[in-house]
Amino acid sequence: MKITTKQICAFAGATLAVSATASAQGNEAVQPTQDLERTTLTADADVDTDNNVTAEDIKQENPADLKELFKKSPSVVVNGGANMGQQVFVNGFESTQMNVTIDGASQGNLNHHQSSVLVDPSLLKRVDILPGAGSALDGPGALAGSIRFETKNVFDYLPYTSGVALGSKGPMNVEYERFGSDSKATYYSNGDGYGLSQTIYGKFTPEWGYLLSGAYTDRDEYEDGDGNTVGNSGYTQAAGLLKISGRLQNGHSIDLGVDYFENDSLSYDRVNIDPAFVGAPSPRSGPLQKMTSSRTTATLNYDFAPEHNDLVNVESNLFYTNQDLERQQTKETAAVETLGLDLRNTFKFWKLASTFGFDYQDKSGSKDWGNYAGTDPYYVNPSQDETEQIFGFYNQNILSVHEQVDFSFGVRYDNYDYTDSYDQEYSSDRFSPNASVIWRPTNALSVDAGYSEAYRGVGIREAFFNGQRPTDLEGEKANTLKANIAYDDGTFFGAGSIYQQEVENYLEPIAIRGAGTAGDITVQGYEASLGFRKNGFTTTLAVAEATPEANGEENTEVYGVVLAGRRWTADFNYTHANTGVGVGYFIEYRDSVDGQYLGYEDFPYTKESYALSSLYLTWDVQQVEGLNLQLNVDNLFDKQYMDHTVYESSGLYSPGRQLRISANYTF
């Protein structure tokens, strides 16, 4: 699929921008009207707050990578080792089994030996995580749920103002902030390196503004807890974001964004594998060479929610994403391109909120074996690119059956048409229903339980190993049973979840060897947390565990599904408002776990237990408005460990103690 600029520029559309009009009495000064930032009102009650990452979380943790970004999310684990090997797992399932979006743009998968999530945390506003097959609004192929990354915009820095307010003599103009800057520098002690980011933002008018942001990171190879240098773990990373945003009084909301990400590192073919495991350097490991992974994304979100009209709340998202992998010496390349559209409207009538929508994706995957082409039957260039078209129609509803009880229900229909690199054609479709009941006996307590299905047809699983599959292969069906409880009275809070996620006819992500289905995969698990907050002090204790079963074999891993064991976390932090000083301490303990890999049952393994501690100290310097100084210490006691997301015999040890020192100035 070759996508042109003209295709990207076409769109249809519309979420919510709420504006209000400030009033003034007599000759008093008029204050500008502030807007609620693009709040999406949709018929979707399934929001997993425990695992979400907020703007405050990002500020406190000052994350350099995905592992640090999700450190405090109980059910999210990230692969250890090299930066580009950081694969994300939620409830045991890799993100490749989920619908991952960046500002609504769906992401693909390049290679099963590296991360499929190409994003710089410094550009992010928040991350929402919804585990398991869930709402019809989660998008196509959301077998294990969805991950939604949202980047910053100008209104995160400069408050929305309508530009016009009512004074005693009628409409009058108001003043508004026109320009600002956010500069940040970070030093890393382990893997000696630095990170720089610069954001400038401003207003064209009170209702229109821009944000331009860039980030660069350069880090050397890190040392593990025993002081050993982990080879080829250094990297450079660059990212950029340009976003034009508008919040208009008549209910229109527009965000036009373009962002770019690039990671360069020196590596053998398998980024997430210890080179010694494959006898590097060897034909099996490939040569040591520069690898570049990159992503370019363009998004247009245009929403319309006229005031006092419960029948119209339109949200639209048009996007284009291109993900690339290049190995410099061997000239191997792989790419996934996606052009997509999501259009929906939510109306409210009586006690019902109902969302109807349509989504479409046009995808292509390409691969070139470069210097390897033709040297072996294993390295034969495909005759053509893979192509995939996905059409989806969906409806999701919330019906208030009682002042304390809501009933959520919906269905989506997905149709997949896929032509592989060998001109084999696959076509499949399916309806996926969902239903849940939400009970709120008090303002502080909510309980819900539900059943959901999701479907993903045969299609592009990864660009690099796009081999030939069986001609009679069918798609994957997922179902999730889940019950949740949450309590928050402002001081004490807690949450719990128990679930069973199943994927029937689980398709191997690697097609190069003619792989078909790995059978049925079931993950059973739970998550619980308790917390307390008062006078600037917050503490949270949490535990989570997800246990996979593959083809009836318990504690069994397969590509895209990991056995990580029980995870305990404790988080303590305190902020003194008068001085702007904050301090935090985080503990993680991972139980040991015995497991095996599907197809290698004669080689069981044990993943050893370990305990980690980290702390942070932050200071909003009140003598210099806008200046923040921060110290983060990871792996405080220099523990030697291998993250449970890696296969023990082939994985890389994680970093030992690391200091991150940063200065951030905003005006």
Side-chain angles (χ1 to χ4, degrees), residues 373-411:
T375 60
D376 185 281
Y378 187 79
Y379 301 110
V380 176
N381 274 328
S383 58
Q384 62 185 39
D385 292 349
E386 300 175 278
T387 60
E388 180 181 8
Q389 290 79 40
I390 309 170
F391 293 88
F393 299 90
Y394 55 87
N395 169 240
Q396 189 69 35
N397 309 272
I398 293 181
L399 177 64
S400 180
V401 297
H402 183 270
E403 62 181 9
Q404 296 179 342
V405 180
D406 290 338
F407 178 47
S408 175
F409 59 97
V411 64

Side-chain angles (χ1 to χ4, degrees), residues 10 148 155 171 201 231 286 296 463 510 571 597 611 655:
R148 305 169 185 168
F155 297 106
Y201 45 88
T296 303
I510 311 169
D571 185 25
Y597 201 88

